[in-house]
């Protein structure tokens, strides 16, 4: 299993440009998450999904959109890039069942710079 | 979710035990303690979790005090590869429970 994969690894955007960060998992996990990590800080949850067709906002959703058309894929869309979105973006997945806990598996991250 | 407090950094010698403390004085009865770590520039990695009993796996041991207001993650024989940021997270187990990462504690293992 490849686990959680993210593309691209690095990207530089100009202010106002758009892009989609790709995330794919091959573990048949029902839950998927997007986090961002600013320098020296912990991770903050942007959006999450509990299954195909279902998404919900996390702590810092403004400026982002997501979709979950399949179990495997959970792309993150930036419509109008701003310098404040310069960060490292991590995608994660887990298999969650009611009342139980299963660890989250993280991808390697996408380093985004907006100039 | 209850808030956690960790010192910003600590170090230990290679081969020695690393004891990483975490305070969670407002933890409620149904909240678990989780530990993740993040090696430089990589995605976080799950280490261990527990409710009230001490737990051990191949990576570490988790000691939770009887009143559950604090815990200690123990890496029994630290190696240079254990140098990382370690996050202590408290949350309810369950389908909709999400992880909230603080700044964590930076562990530096010296040769």
């Amino acid at each position: 299993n490849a686990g959680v994969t993210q593309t691209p690894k690095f990207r530089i955007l100009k202010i106002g440009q758009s892009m989609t960060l790709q995330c794919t998992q091959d573990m048949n996990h029902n839950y998927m998450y997007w986090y961002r990590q600013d320098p020296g800080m912990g991770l903050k949850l942007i959006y999450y999904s509990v299954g195909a067709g279902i998404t919900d906002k996390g702590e810092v959703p403004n400026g982002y959109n997501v979709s979950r058309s399949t179990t495997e894929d959970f792309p993150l869309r930036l419509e109008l890039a701003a310098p404040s979105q310069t960060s490292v973006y991590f995608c994660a997945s887990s298999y969650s069942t009611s009342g139980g806990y299963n660890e989250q598996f993280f991808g390697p991250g996408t380093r985004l710079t907006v100039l | 979710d209850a808030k956690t407090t960790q010192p910003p950094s600590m170090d230990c010698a290679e081969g020695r035990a690393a004891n990483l403390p975490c305070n969670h004085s407002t933890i409620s009865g149904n909240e678990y303690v989780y530990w993740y770590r993040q090696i430089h520039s990589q995605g976080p990695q799950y280490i261990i979790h527990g409710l009230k009993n001490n737990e051990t796996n191949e990576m570490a041991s988790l000691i939770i005090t009887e009143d559950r207001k604090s815990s200690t993650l123990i890496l029994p024989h630290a190696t240079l590869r254990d140098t990382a940021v370690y996050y202590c997270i408290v949350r309810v187990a369950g389908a909709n429970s999400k992880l909230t990462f603080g700044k964590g504690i930076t562990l530096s293992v010296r040769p």
Side-chain angles (χ1 to χ4, degrees):
Chain A
N1 286 351
V4 179
T5 57
Q6 294 183 237
T7 57
K9 287 190 170 65
F10 304 92
R11 183 73 185 268
I12 298 175
L13 283 181
K14 294 182 180 178
I15 295 172
Q17 286 186 319
S18 301
M19 77 164 294
T20 299
L21 283 66
Q22 302 292 344
C23 175
T24 300
Q25 54 92 9
D26 62 359
M27 297 173 282
N28 200 32
H29 286 168
N30 50 348
Y31 275 59
M32 295 188 74
Y33 314 81
W34 273 107
Y35 295 88
R36 61 175 285 174
Q37 185 174 32
D38 299 332
M41 305 296 288
L43 281 71
K44 292 185 178 180
L45 183 66
I46 305 172
Y47 271 96
Y48 69 101
S49 169
V50 303
I54 306 170
T55 62
D56 206 349
K57 296 177 180 178
E59 185 183 356
V60 288
N62 291 344
Y64 307 94
N65 280 300
V66 293
S67 59
R68 183 95 182 271
S69 57
T70 67
T71 298
E72 295 78 19
D73 300 307
F74 191 40
L76 178 71
R77 178 82 178 162
L78 283 72
E79 290 294 348
L80 293 170
S84 60
Q85 294 177 304
T86 293
S87 190
V88 181
Y89 292 83
F90 290 102
C91 179
S93 71
S94 68
Y95 185 75
S96 295
T97 56
S98 177
Y101 176 78
N102 289 283
E103 64 184 278
Q104 291 188 21
F105 293 84
F106 285 80
T110 294
R111 283 147 187 80
L112 176 67
T113 301
V114 181
L115 300 174
Chain B
D1 293 333
K3 182 180 171 59
T4 62
T5 303
Q6 301 176 257
S9 64
M10 66 174 290
D11 63 23
C12 74
E14 189 176 21
R16 304 297 296 268
N19 298 303
L20 287 70
C22 181
N23 286 322
H24 31 79
S25 58
T26 60
I27 192 170
S28 58
N30 61 347
E31 288 182 313
Y32 286 68
V33 180
Y34 303 87
W35 283 84
Y36 278 72
R37 74 178 181 183
Q38 186 175 23
I39 296 171
H40 180 63
S41 299
Q42 298 179 19
Q45 175 191 24
Y46 166 82
I47 302 173
I48 198 167
H49 76 281
L51 182 63
K52 53 184 177 182
N53 297 322
N54 298 337
E55 302 288 344
T56 296
N57 63 20
E58 65 278 4
M59 291 181 67
S61 294
L62 175 61
I63 308 299
I64 302 174
T65 57
E66 191 168 346
D67 63 8
R68 303 210 320 123
K69 293 184 177 182
S70 65
S71 60
T72 301
L73 179 74
I74 300 173
L75 307 179
H77 306 287
T79 70
L80 298 178
R81 287 175 292 181
D82 292 322
T83 292
V85 179
Y86 288 77
Y87 298 98
C88 171
I89 300 167
V90 170
R91 64 167 231 192
V92 175
N96 291 323
S97 187
K98 302 174 287 295
L99 294 175
T100 300
F101 289 83
K103 292 187 178 181
I105 177 173
T106 300
L107 172 68
S108 300
V109 181
R110 60 181 187 275

